Amino acid sequence: MTTATSRRDFYQRIAHLNAAPLWEVLSEIVGAQPHPGAIPAIWKYSELRPFLMESGELITAREAERRVLILENPGYPGGSRIAQSVYAGLQLVLPGEFTNSHRHVASALRFIIEGDGEGAYTAVDGERVIMHPGDLILTPTWTFHDHGNPGHSPVVWLDGLDIPLVNFFDSSFAEHLPDEATQESVLSEHPSFAFPFAPMRDALRNKSLDACHGAKMEYLNPTGASVSKTLGAFLQFLPAGFSGAPYRSTDSTVYCVAEGRGSSLISDQLFEWSARDIFVVPSWCPVSHQAAEDSILFSFSDRPAQQALGIWREHATPATAPHPH
Ligand SMILES: [Fe+2]
């Protein structure tokens, strides 16, 4: 028997004992560096919006809590994820729609994309907050939440959740309340789970520019911790003409353009973006941002989860020295 044949024969004989040879898969399962299955991609809001509105006719108000277009990474068709460990979707709540309360283990954050700020709200454990474009609203793990839109305009937000992580751990639980059990919510003057856009935007203007990120801040809870144990959220300002140095990190990052126009080079692909577009930078893909106008980018990633596990890595390309003349 040749070596190859005798090895194959051996593999077959151990297979029925539920054993397998590590030497055949070692380099695949213990990679020398990340090889994400997700690929860099962009979702143009102007292209998606008509379909989102069409879903408003297909999916009734009663089902509005799940009227979401999942932003699905082309590397994971049918995978309900925008990257290996993070989920993103666009949710629409039309005027006159109110959802029942539910809760789940998965943590959520919402970055408001569209709305007139005239009444559409999210309630978390009975605390209601009005959704204005640019606001970040959190739904911590296992908190009851519902949405309503007593206003006159549709409200649309980017949903970010740690669903793939929770499912990886086989730790998902969810609970849906019937109409009569949905709790009353009260408008909160100082909500503990929302970050209005204006103060974050103002704070960015006072920050110095980093060569890779421009002026960038993480949204932090009053305790100084990330917005969730699994997901971190960030806001960054890129002045017109900014051309960032390449950066890579192991947290797959979802960007949503809050303001402005520019482009990002992700690995070797250039993505042009403008306000409300969403794009994803999978783990360890080098990214560099260029701003054609003053621009503000919201982003979220699984960085806190990786940091808690002690596995997060980043690499910033040092600013290149000026060419000698
Ligand atoms: Fe939910």
Side-chain angles (χ1 to χ4, degrees):
M1 271 201 296
T2 65
T3 312
T5 315
S6 48
R7 284 186 181 185
R8 234 184 349 260
D9 173 67
F10 173 75
Y11 302 159
Q12 276 165 10
R13 285 185 287 119
I14 62 172
H16 82 280
L17 295 173
N18 300 318
L22 172 64
W23 57 88
E24 288 288 340
V25 294
L26 182 61
S27 62
E28 193 185 316
I29 64 169
V30 187
Q33 58 171 17
H35 287 288
I39 54 184
I42 191 166
W43 290 261
K44 304 292 283 183
Y45 191 69
S46 60
E47 291 177 3
L48 268 177
R49 190 182 188 280
F51 292 101
L52 191 59
M53 294 303 149
E54 194 178 328
S55 76
E57 295 161 24
L58 284 173
I59 305 300
T60 63
R62 282 203 59 75
E63 300 171 293
E65 85 180 40
R66 55 195 142 202
R67 190 200 287 128
V68 177
L69 296 186
I70 301 172
L71 304 181
E72 203 163 73
N73 192 281
Y76 295 117
S80 301
R81 64 187 67 193
I82 194 164
Q84 168 77 344
S85 50
V86 282
Y87 162 102
L90 284 176
Q91 182 155 10
L92 165 70
V93 178
L94 292 168
E97 292 184 341
F98 301 86
T99 69
N100 285 357
S101 288
H102 70 267
R103 63 178 172 176
H104 34 69
V105 165
S107 301
L109 54 81
R110 308 172 207 290
F111 185 70
I112 315 306
I113 290 185
E114 196 179 317
D116 57 12
E118 295 287 326
Y121 64 84
T122 286
V124 178
D125 279 345
E127 206 177 277
R128 184 185 288 199
V129 62
I130 303 294
M131 297 189 271
H132 306 88
D135 292 353
L136 176 68
I137 299 175
L138 312 175
T139 303
T141 177
W142 206 239
T143 50
F144 275 111
H145 52 285
D146 61 87
H147 314 292
N149 188 354
H152 302 286
S153 309
V155 61
V156 177
W157 64 82
L158 171 69
D159 263 336
L161 288 98
D162 57 5
I163 292 171
L165 267 178
V166 171
N167 288 342
F168 174 80
F169 288 116
D170 277 338
S171 305
S172 182
F173 292 88
E175 199 177 337
H176 295 260
L177 295 183
D179 287 355
E180 60 278 10
T182 287
Q183 53 189 168
E184 287 288 311
S185 57
V186 178
L187 191 64
S188 174
E189 288 297 319
H190 302 286
S192 48
F193 57 88
F195 295 84
F197 186 51
M200 284 297 291
R201 191 179 188 282
D202 291 346
L204 279 181
R205 300 280 174 166
N206 300 322
K207 283 209 60 130
S208 54
L209 294 184
D210 173 88
C212 298
H213 309 294
K216 186 171 185 177
M217 290 172 62
E218 181 173 3
Y219 293 79
L220 296 173
N221 283 323
T223 58
S226 298
V227 294
S228 102
K229 288 200 163 97
T230 49
L231 299 178
F234 310 85
L235 199 68
Q236 69 197 97
F237 168 66
L238 311 173
F242 179 82
S243 182
Y247 172 83
R248 60 176 21 177
S249 59
T250 52
D251 51 324
S252 300
T253 306
V254 179
Y255 288 86
C256 180
V257 183
E259 290 177 6
R261 192 170 53 83
S263 60
S264 296
L265 184 66
I266 311 173
S267 297
D268 55 358
Q269 275 181 280
L270 187 70
F271 296 91
E272 308 234 2
W273 41 255
S274 58
R276 298 172 170 176
D277 291 345
I278 294 150
F279 58 94
V280 64
V281 181
S283 169
W284 215 235
C285 293
V287 58
S288 55
H289 306 294
Q290 295 81 37
E293 300 169 359
D294 280 1
S295 300
I296 295 184
L297 304 180
F298 167 81
S299 60
F300 73 90
S301 79
D302 59 340
R303 184 178 303 188
Q306 293 199 28
Q307 287 177 325
L309 297 172
I311 60 173
W312 181 72
R313 288 199 194 191
E314 66 174 340
H315 183 258
T317 307
T320 44
H323 290 289
H325 290 286

